[in-house]
Short mmCIF file of all heavy atoms in Angstrom, two decimals:
data_model
loop_
_atom_site.label_atom_id
_atom_site.label_comp_id
_atom_site.label_asym_id
_atom_site.label_seq_id
_atom_site.Cartn_x
_atom_site.Cartn_y
_atom_site.Cartn_z
N ASP P 30 -0.26 15.10 -15.19
CA ASP P 30 0.95 14.58 -15.68
C ASP P 30 1.56 15.67 -16.54
O ASP P 30 0.98 16.16 -17.43
CB ASP P 30 0.64 13.39 -16.65
CG ASP P 30 1.82 12.77 -17.24
OD1 ASP P 30 2.78 13.46 -17.63
OD2 ASP P 30 1.83 11.48 -17.37
N VAL P 31 2.74 16.15 -16.12
CA VAL P 31 3.44 17.26 -16.86
C VAL P 31 3.83 16.99 -18.21
O VAL P 31 3.99 17.92 -18.99
CB VAL P 31 4.52 17.83 -15.94
CG1 VAL P 31 4.08 18.38 -14.62
CG2 VAL P 31 5.61 16.81 -15.68
N VAL P 32 4.04 15.70 -18.49
CA VAL P 32 4.52 15.36 -19.85
C VAL P 32 3.26 15.38 -20.84
O VAL P 32 3.33 15.95 -21.87
CB VAL P 32 5.17 13.95 -19.87
CG1 VAL P 32 5.55 13.52 -21.35
CG2 VAL P 32 6.44 13.94 -19.02
N SER P 33 2.21 14.68 -20.43
CA SER P 33 1.02 14.65 -21.39
C SER P 33 0.10 15.74 -21.12
O SER P 33 -0.74 16.08 -21.99
CB SER P 33 0.27 13.30 -21.17
OG SER P 33 -0.37 13.28 -19.85
N GLY P 34 0.09 16.42 -19.99
CA GLY P 34 -0.87 17.46 -19.75
C GLY P 34 -2.24 17.00 -19.28
O GLY P 34 -3.20 17.80 -19.20
N LEU P 35 -2.38 15.68 -19.07
CA LEU P 35 -3.73 15.09 -18.68
C LEU P 35 -3.73 14.96 -17.25
O LEU P 35 -2.85 14.74 -16.52
CB LEU P 35 -3.80 13.73 -19.36
CG LEU P 35 -3.75 13.71 -20.90
CD1 LEU P 35 -3.82 12.28 -21.36
CD2 LEU P 35 -4.93 14.47 -21.50
N VAL P 36 -5.11 15.09 -16.70
CA VAL P 36 -5.33 14.83 -15.28
C VAL P 36 -5.11 13.34 -15.02
O VAL P 36 -5.68 12.45 -15.72
CB VAL P 36 -6.77 15.22 -14.99
CG1 VAL P 36 -7.08 14.82 -13.50
CG2 VAL P 36 -7.01 16.66 -15.30
N GLY P 37 -4.37 13.04 -13.98
CA GLY P 37 -4.10 11.69 -13.56
C GLY P 37 -4.83 11.26 -12.39
O GLY P 37 -5.30 10.16 -12.25
N GLN P 38 -5.08 12.11 -11.41
CA GLN P 38 -5.63 11.87 -10.13
C GLN P 38 -6.53 13.10 -9.71
O GLN P 38 -6.14 14.23 -9.98
CB GLN P 38 -4.63 11.47 -9.07
CG GLN P 38 -3.83 10.27 -9.44
CD GLN P 38 -2.75 10.09 -8.40
OE1 GLN P 38 -2.16 11.01 -7.84
NE2 GLN P 38 -2.44 8.84 -8.04
N VAL P 39 -7.49 12.74 -8.83
CA VAL P 39 -8.27 13.74 -8.11
C VAL P 39 -7.84 13.56 -6.60
O VAL P 39 -7.89 12.39 -6.08
CB VAL P 39 -9.82 13.51 -8.30
CG1 VAL P 39 -10.56 14.50 -7.42
CG2 VAL P 39 -10.23 13.65 -9.72
N ARG P 40 -7.40 14.63 -5.93
CA ARG P 40 -6.94 14.50 -4.61
C ARG P 40 -8.05 15.09 -3.69
O ARG P 40 -8.63 16.15 -3.99
CB ARG P 40 -5.70 15.24 -4.46
CG ARG P 40 -4.57 14.62 -5.39
CD ARG P 40 -3.22 15.19 -5.19
NE ARG P 40 -2.51 14.70 -4.06
CZ ARG P 40 -2.00 13.46 -4.04
NH1 ARG P 40 -2.05 12.71 -5.12
NH2 ARG P 40 -1.39 13.00 -2.96
N LEU P 41 -8.29 14.41 -2.62
CA LEU P 41 -9.38 14.68 -1.67
C LEU P 41 -8.93 14.99 -0.29
O LEU P 41 -8.01 14.41 0.20
CB LEU P 41 -10.38 13.56 -1.59
CG LEU P 41 -10.85 12.75 -2.82
CD1 LEU P 41 -11.71 11.62 -2.53
CD2 LEU P 41 -11.50 13.81 -3.79
N SER P 42 -9.66 15.92 0.38
CA SER P 42 -9.60 16.08 1.73
C SER P 42 -10.58 15.04 2.30
O SER P 42 -11.72 15.06 1.92
CB SER P 42 -10.05 17.45 2.22
OG SER P 42 -9.14 18.41 1.71
N PRO P 43 -10.17 14.10 3.12
CA PRO P 43 -10.93 12.97 3.57
C PRO P 43 -12.15 13.35 4.47
O PRO P 43 -12.08 14.33 5.11
CB PRO P 43 -9.98 12.11 4.37
CG PRO P 43 -8.93 12.99 4.77
CD PRO P 43 -8.83 14.07 3.77
N ALA P 44 -13.18 12.53 4.38
CA ALA P 44 -14.38 12.78 5.18
C ALA P 44 -14.17 12.43 6.65
O ALA P 44 -14.72 12.87 7.52
CB ALA P 44 -15.53 12.00 4.59
N ARG P 45 -13.28 11.43 6.87
CA ARG P 45 -13.12 10.92 8.21
C ARG P 45 -11.52 10.80 8.60
O ARG P 45 -10.96 9.80 8.52
CB ARG P 45 -13.59 9.48 8.29
CG ARG P 45 -15.09 9.43 8.14
CD ARG P 45 -15.66 8.04 8.30
NE ARG P 45 -16.97 7.87 7.81
CZ ARG P 45 -17.29 7.35 6.67
NH1 ARG P 45 -16.32 6.81 5.91
NH2 ARG P 45 -18.50 7.35 6.21
N GLY P 46 -10.99 11.95 8.97
CA GLY P 46 -9.72 12.01 9.56
C GLY P 46 -8.48 11.15 9.01
O GLY P 46 -7.52 10.95 9.67
N ARG P 47 -8.68 10.66 7.81
CA ARG P 47 -7.53 9.88 7.23
C ARG P 47 -6.54 10.83 6.58
O ARG P 47 -6.81 12.05 6.42
CB ARG P 47 -8.05 8.88 6.23
CG ARG P 47 -8.98 7.82 6.80
CD ARG P 47 -9.45 6.84 5.77
NE ARG P 47 -10.45 7.49 5.00
CZ ARG P 47 -11.21 6.96 4.14
NH1 ARG P 47 -11.05 5.80 3.80
NH2 ARG P 47 -12.15 7.73 3.36
N LYS P 48 -5.44 10.28 6.02
CA LYS P 48 -4.53 11.06 5.18
C LYS P 48 -5.24 11.46 3.96
O LYS P 48 -6.18 10.93 3.57
CB LYS P 48 -3.27 10.16 4.91
CG LYS P 48 -2.48 9.87 6.11
CD LYS P 48 -1.14 9.29 5.75
CE LYS P 48 -1.32 7.84 5.24
NZ LYS P 48 -0.03 7.25 4.88
N GLU P 49 -4.57 12.39 3.26
CA GLU P 49 -5.06 12.80 1.87
C GLU P 49 -5.34 11.58 1.03
O GLU P 49 -4.61 10.55 1.13
CB GLU P 49 -4.07 13.74 1.31
CG GLU P 49 -4.47 14.12 -0.13
CD GLU P 49 -3.40 15.06 -0.76
OE1 GLU P 49 -2.37 14.47 -1.17
OE2 GLU P 49 -3.56 16.26 -0.75
N ILE P 50 -6.37 11.63 0.29
CA ILE P 50 -6.80 10.52 -0.53
C ILE P 50 -6.56 10.96 -2.06
O ILE P 50 -6.92 12.13 -2.43
CB ILE P 50 -8.30 10.20 -0.42
CG1 ILE P 50 -8.50 9.68 1.06
CG2 ILE P 50 -8.75 9.16 -1.39
CD1 ILE P 50 -10.04 9.64 1.44
N ALA P 51 -6.08 9.96 -2.85
CA ALA P 51 -5.95 10.27 -4.24
C ALA P 51 -6.71 9.18 -4.99
O ALA P 51 -6.63 8.02 -4.63
CB ALA P 51 -4.50 10.20 -4.72
#
Side-chain angles (χ1 to χ4, degrees):
D30 180 325
V31 295
V32 175
S33 69
L35 300 174
V36 176
Q38 297 171 326
V39 176
R40 303 185 78 76
L41 313 178
S42 295
R45 297 184 195 102
R47 296 179 287 187
K48 293 190 287 183
E49 179 181 74
I50 298 169

